[in-house]
């Protein structure tokens, strides 16, 4: 059994590993013969594609005690490990006590790469079909997701994509300890994978042609992000038009669009989101999504280049007063955004909210509420330090002295120092 394109990709991967991490290659197991592979999988209820035989002829996975990741987070299973994972997963789903368990994990699905309950797997074919099954799609299985999408048309395409990342230096190996390593990558991986995933190119084409209704929500989400990665120069007008169209009817899609626009990471893209913070916008979840994107997706130096950024301070202060009950984390995000904008109109409202939350993050007994309030309090403290207004010194000093939370003490202390106020510090606080 020999498939030249697949074998070439596997050879390229091994050449790269030998060049940059020769110790890792030592933990790839020797390949198996076709007869051995056939004997090990003979009890399966399906026929595996020829590509799987070629993979295990190349190497029989990696040492269980020193797993090798050919791509980030996913260990290359030996055939015995794959058979064990398969049997255990089938047993779990059989014992769920539901009639349609096979819709969640089909008995023909065979794992090749594993990551704590997630698999890249290949679907087999019913036994008894005379024609050999040369290839099959690669599925991305995650046990907490209802869908198992096709991510590559074949194992060959997956390995070619992995080889492209190794050859481009996008993947690298980092040591974790004695004979333990992990493979890491960066955002360039998506761009390098795209030529080997025609379904993703089709999703981009559907978005460009205004045919997003033909895509599933997950395909839309992936398509928006791929459009940003592959065609950033044309993405902004398309995404903003989609957002304007769907803001009233499809809030979930709007969240994905707002995040995709933020991922462009340009002043123009960030500026296009500002109108959605206007006080006339009666959709709190939409405003919260914009604030979250401006805080967590748009780099601060890019945000500072947005024209008329201070115009969003009044609606942000309005959100702060509303306490955003529909999105508690927005208190934290609003406070962080106000600190980055640097407009001192925010100082008094931030101090009022600080007093409301209390020295120890509120009085609720619910752990989730306490955690959310604490995050909001810390964000307010940090923003008051950034804003540099002396009127915050008194409340910050009182917080540093009265809070029983050591983290709150440290953050208040640091904020005071940003204000040039070092009065009253003793003990551990003085040595921070």
């Amino acid at each position: 059994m020999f498939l030249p394109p697949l074998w070439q990709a596997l050879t390229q991967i091994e050449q790269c590993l030998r060049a940059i991490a020769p110790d890792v290659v030592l933990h790839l197991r020797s390949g198996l013969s076709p007869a051995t592979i056939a004997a090990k999988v003979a009890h399966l209820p399906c026929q595996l594609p020829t590509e799987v035989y070629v993979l295990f002829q190349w190497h029989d996975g990696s040492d269980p005690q020193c797993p090798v990741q050919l791509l980030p987070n996913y260990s290359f299973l030996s055939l015995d490990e794959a058979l064990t994972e398969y049997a255990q997963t089938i047993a779990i789903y059989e014992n769920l006590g539901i009639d349609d368990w096979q819709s969640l994990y089909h008995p023909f699905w065979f794992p090749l790469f594993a990551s704590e309950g997630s698999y890249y797997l290949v679907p087999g074919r019913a036994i008894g079909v005379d024609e050999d099954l040369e290839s099959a799609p690669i599925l991305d299985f995650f046990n907490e997701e209802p869908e198992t999408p096709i991510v590559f048309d074949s194992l060959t395409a997956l390995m070619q994509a992995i080889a492209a990342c190794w050859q481009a230096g996008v993947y690298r190996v980092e040591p974790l300890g004695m004979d333990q390593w992990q493979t890491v990558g960066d955002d360039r991986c998506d761009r390098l994978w795209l030529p080997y995933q025609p379904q993703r190119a089709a999703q981009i084409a559907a978005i460009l042609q205004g045919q997003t209704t033909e895509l599933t929500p997950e395909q839309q989400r992936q398509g928006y992000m791929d459009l940003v990665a592959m065609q950033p120069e044309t993405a902004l007008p398309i995404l903003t038009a989609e957002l304007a169209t769907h803001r009233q009817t499809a809030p979930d899609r709007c969240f994905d669009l707002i995040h995709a626009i933020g991922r462009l990471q340009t002043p123009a893209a960030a500026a296009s989101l500002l109108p959605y913070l206007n006080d006339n916008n009666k959709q709190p979840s939409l405003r919260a999504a914009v604030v979250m994107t401006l805080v967590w997706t748009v780099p601060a130096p890019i945000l500072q280049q947005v024209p008329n950024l201070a115009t969003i301070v009044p609606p942000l202060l309005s959100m702060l007063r509303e306490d955003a009950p529909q999105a508690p984390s927005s208190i934290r995000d609003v406070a962080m955004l106000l600190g980055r904008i640097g407009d001192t109109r925010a100082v008094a409202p931030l101090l009022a909210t600080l007093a409301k939350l209390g020295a120890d993050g509120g009085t609720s007994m619910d752990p989730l509420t306490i955690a959310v309030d604490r995050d909001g309090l810390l964000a307010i403290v940090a923003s008051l330090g950034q804003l540099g207004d002396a009127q915050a010194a008194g409340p910050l000093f009182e917080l540093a002295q009265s809070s029983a939370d050591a983290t709150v003490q440290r953050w208040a202390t640091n904020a005071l120092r940003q204000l040039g106020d070092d009065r009253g510090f003793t003990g551990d606080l003085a040595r921070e």
Side-chain angles (χ1 to χ4, degrees), residues 1 155 178 221 347 356:
M1 298 178 180
L155 178 60
M178 183 66 69
R221 184 178 302 112
V347 173
K356 181 179 179 181

Side-chain angles (χ1 to χ4, degrees), residues 96-368:
L96 288 178
I98 57 177
D99 293 335
D100 64 341
W101 67 269
Q102 295 186 14
S103 67
L104 301 176
Y105 195 95
H106 197 279
F108 289 3
W109 290 356
F110 191 76
L112 302 174
F113 304 95
S115 175
E116 298 181 350
S118 299
Y119 302 117
Y120 279 125
L121 52 82
V122 60
R125 187 174 65 181
I127 295 173
V129 179
D130 292 336
E131 183 181 353
D132 287 340
L133 178 64
E134 183 174 290
S135 67
I138 297 296
L139 308 182
D140 185 5
F141 172 81
F142 179 47
N143 58 12
E144 296 183 5
E145 291 291 339
E147 298 181 358
T148 301
I150 295 175
V151 288
F152 289 93
D153 288 345
S154 66
L155 178 60
T156 296
L158 169 60
M159 303 316 293
Q160 287 174 328
I162 293 173
C165 289
W166 283 111
Q167 290 181 314
V170 173
Y171 288 168
R172 63 185 186 279
V173 174
E174 292 184 350
L176 293 176
M178 183 66 69
D179 289 334
Q180 298 288 326
W181 300 269
Q182 66 175 356
T183 295
V184 297
D186 59 41
D187 289 343
R188 292 176 293 168
C189 173
D190 277 345
R191 183 182 291 268
L192 290 172
W193 276 28
L194 191 61
Y196 306 99
Q197 296 178 299
Q199 72 279 9
R200 287 174 61 197
Q203 290 164 192
I204 293 178
I207 292 172
L208 292 173
Q209 296 165 13
Q211 299 173 347
T212 54
T213 56
E214 300 178 5
L215 303 176
T216 67
E218 180 58 36
Q219 288 173 333
Q220 291 172 3
R221 184 178 302 112
Q222 183 66 57
Y224 294 147
M225 301 312 295
D226 286 341
L227 179 63
V228 167
M230 301 302 296
Q231 300 186 33
E233 65 285 350
T234 60
L236 183 57
I238 293 171
L239 295 175
T240 53
E242 283 271 299
L243 181 57
T245 299
H246 298 293
R247 58 179 296 185
Q248 300 294 341
T249 59
D252 290 342
R253 185 184 299 187
C254 287
F255 180 84
D256 295 332
L257 286 162
I258 289 168
H259 181 63
I261 291 170
R263 283 288 296 270
L264 286 168
Q265 298 188 342
T266 66
S272 74
L273 297 175
L274 301 190
Y276 293 94
L277 292 175
N278 190 285
D279 281 323
N280 295 326
N281 178 12
K282 302 304 181 182
Q283 295 176 283
S285 60
L286 194 64
R287 289 188 295 170
V290 170
V291 172
M292 182 174 68
T293 296
L294 293 176
V295 169
W296 298 103
T297 307
V298 180
I302 298 295
L303 188 66
Q304 294 299 325
Q305 299 176 42
V306 175
N308 303 314
L309 186 60
T311 60
I312 65 171
V313 170
L316 289 175
L317 297 180
S318 176
M319 291 178 68
L320 200 63
R321 288 191 297 270
E322 292 168 8
D323 202 18
Q326 73 293 334
S329 63
S330 69
I331 294 177
R332 173 201 65 199
D333 295 342
V334 168
M336 292 176 66
L337 186 54
L338 287 168
R340 292 180 187 178
I341 293 173
D343 192 311
T344 55
R345 287 178 292 175
V347 173
L350 286 172
L351 288 173
T353 307
L354 181 69
K356 181 179 179 181
L357 291 177
D360 292 308
T363 58
S364 170
M365 297 302 293
D366 175 58
L368 178 60

Side-chain angles (χ1 to χ4, degrees), residues 41 43-44 46 48-49 52 56 77-87 105-113 119-124 138:
V41 303
H43 68 284
L44 294 176
C46 61
L48 295 178
V52 174
F56 289 113
L77 299 173
S78 70
L79 183 53
D80 286 341
E81 286 181 297
L83 289 165
T84 299
E85 292 276 351
Y86 169 83
Y105 195 95
H106 197 279
F108 289 3
W109 290 356
F110 191 76
L112 302 174
F113 304 95
Y119 302 117
Y120 279 125
L121 52 82
V122 60
I138 297 296

